[in-house]
Amino acid sequence: MDFHPTEEQAAAAGLAARIFRDLATHERLTAAGTGSDAELWKALAASGLIAAVQDIGLLGLVLLLEEQGRTTAQVPYAATCAYGMLPLAAHGSDEQRARLLPALGTGEAVATGAFPARGRITAEDGRLTGTAPVVPWLREATHVLVPDADRALWLVRTGGPGVRTSPVETTAPWSAGRLTLTGAEAERVGTGSAHQDAYEDTLAAARTAFAGLQAGVCAGSLARAVEYTSTREQFGRPLATNQGVMLRAADAYMDTEAIRVTAYEAAWRIDQGLAAREHALTAAWWASEAGKRVVHAGQHLHGGMGADLEHPVHRHFLWGRQLDAYLGCGSELLAELGAVLAQEG
């Protein structure tokens, strides 16, 4: 395994860090409310960082999502790449790739996904019926990647007939919504007996991508805690000199590194075309279990300031808890991982 980024991946990550740092400020995030930052989304598209995912692969995307997570930038970057750019490039037809990838790459089209499959949506003659209770970034999306009860993938236009969306407020401000389909027209992504592979591939890549996002959220939370405890004094000395504070921060750092390295491994294996389902589940488990520990620690190390809903660290706490449960909570992921290992054994 080689987790060292290529020259292109490193350059993309550096550019992403600069854009997120300059535009995803506390003031702009506060002004965005629960919606996305349109100016930031345009900046990402203009820089080529959305379209670049086709070239830098999933590992490159994980690096970029780390930078988004550090600032909790409110743009549908992970969703558009995980449920649009990557699955269409891997499983879309030539016509779908030619028609949809350029629009996604320029930010004109926004994708999201009704994942994981819960068996609530059925397909008949290319029309979908059912409900997905919570879909992240649905309010911003032009297309939704929807798995049916048989785990075949379908692409639905949000403005099409038989498609209804309604806002849903989640812990993190992800512009989420409820998707209701009533005989909605849809186009198939991935055909034949390989449709199960398309679903599993997309879910594994999405879990890996969002684990990378969680690594960034945790790193940002820890950085804020380190800065605060290094400057805040109690009894004439910085809080960071307290042994209990140091140990809590050290545990949070190790948890963050575990999320990062498991996400890197899963992404590298997927990029190399190697079996990676259990590795994606492992990364998702660390993102869930360790992620919530880290964001709780970040908030607690701020003391009374951590209880302020307007403090920047609280946003990391909200994102970390949302990512904790998204695409499977810890116990659910462990059960799925156990079933996969037993099947392979």
Side-chain angles (χ1 to χ4, degrees), residues 6 28 83 85 99-100 155 175 251:
T6 64
R28 289 177 62 88
Y83 300 125
M85 299 293 294
R99 171 166 48 89
L100 296 168
L155 196 64
S175 196
D251 286 342

Side-chain angles (χ1 to χ4, degrees), residues 204-221:
R207 280 172 165 161
T208 303
F210 281 94
L213 185 63
Q214 180 76 303
V217 169
C218 291
S221 174

Side-chain angles (χ1 to χ4, degrees), residues 142 227 242 313 345:
T142 59
E227 180 182 11
N242 183 294
V313 77

Side-chain angles (χ1 to χ4, degrees), residues 48-322:
L49 288 177
I50 305 174
V53 173
Q54 296 181 78
D55 299 318
I56 63 176
L58 183 55
L59 180 55
L61 175 60
V62 166
L63 294 172
L64 270 59
L65 290 176
E66 275 192 81
E67 301 303 334
Q68 179 185 0
R70 290 178 196 276
T71 59
T72 61
Q74 289 175 204
V75 286
Y77 192 35
T80 290
C81 294
Y83 300 125
M85 299 293 294
L86 293 178
L88 285 171
H91 301 287
S93 65
D94 291 341
E95 187 277 332
Q96 286 173 330
R97 289 194 292 267
R99 171 166 48 89
L100 296 168
L101 289 180
L104 289 168
T106 60
E108 178 185 354
V110 175
T112 188
F115 275 68
R118 300 295 188 187
R120 298 188 178 100
I121 296 173
T122 59
E124 184 176 354
D125 297 328
R127 294 182 178 273
L128 304 185
T129 298
T131 301
V134 181
V135 179
W137 300 108
L138 181 62
R139 284 178 261 168
E140 315 293 340
T142 59
H143 297 78
V144 186
L145 190 64
V146 180
D148 65 19
D150 295 323
R151 298 191 174 184
L153 295 184
W154 302 85
L155 196 64
V156 177
R157 285 190 61 87
T158 55
V163 181
R164 184 164 60 89
T165 64
S166 54
V168 173
E169 297 303 332
T170 58
T171 304
W174 284 3
S175 196
R178 178 185 179 90
L179 178 68
T180 303
L181 305 172
T182 310
E185 294 182 1
E187 55 180 306
R188 185 76 172 268
V189 177
T191 58
S193 60
H195 74 265
Q196 285 275 7
D197 293 337
Y199 170 79
E200 294 295 349
D201 290 350
T202 300
L203 180 58
R207 280 172 165 161
T208 303
F210 281 94
L213 185 63
Q214 180 76 303
V217 169
C218 291
S221 174
L222 183 58
R224 291 186 183 280
V226 168
E227 180 182 11
Y228 179 80
T229 57
S230 297
T231 56
R232 176 76 170 178
E233 292 190 355
Q234 189 178 56
F235 305 118
R237 63 178 187 173
L239 286 172
T241 61
N242 183 294
Q243 187 179 39
V245 171
M246 289 190 286
L247 291 174
R248 190 78 187 275
D251 286 342
Y253 173 79
M254 294 303 295
D255 273 338
T256 301
E257 288 301 296
I259 300 169
R260 176 183 289 116
V261 73
T262 53
Y264 284 6
E265 181 182 18
W268 179 84
R269 291 185 65 89
I270 290 172
D271 284 342
Q272 297 299 314
L274 302 173
R277 185 180 175 190
E278 60 267 39
H279 300 82
L281 282 164
T282 301
W285 181 84
W286 276 103
S288 175
E289 291 293 302
K292 63 187 174 187
R293 288 198 297 265
V294 174
V295 296
H296 274 272
Q299 192 175 38
H300 291 166
L301 288 174
H302 278 76
M305 294 299 294
D308 182 1
L309 301 185
E310 303 300 321
H311 195 283
V313 77
H314 189 68
R315 189 175 291 107
H316 290 269
F317 174 76
L318 294 178
W319 276 60
R321 289 314 309 254
Q322 185 70 30

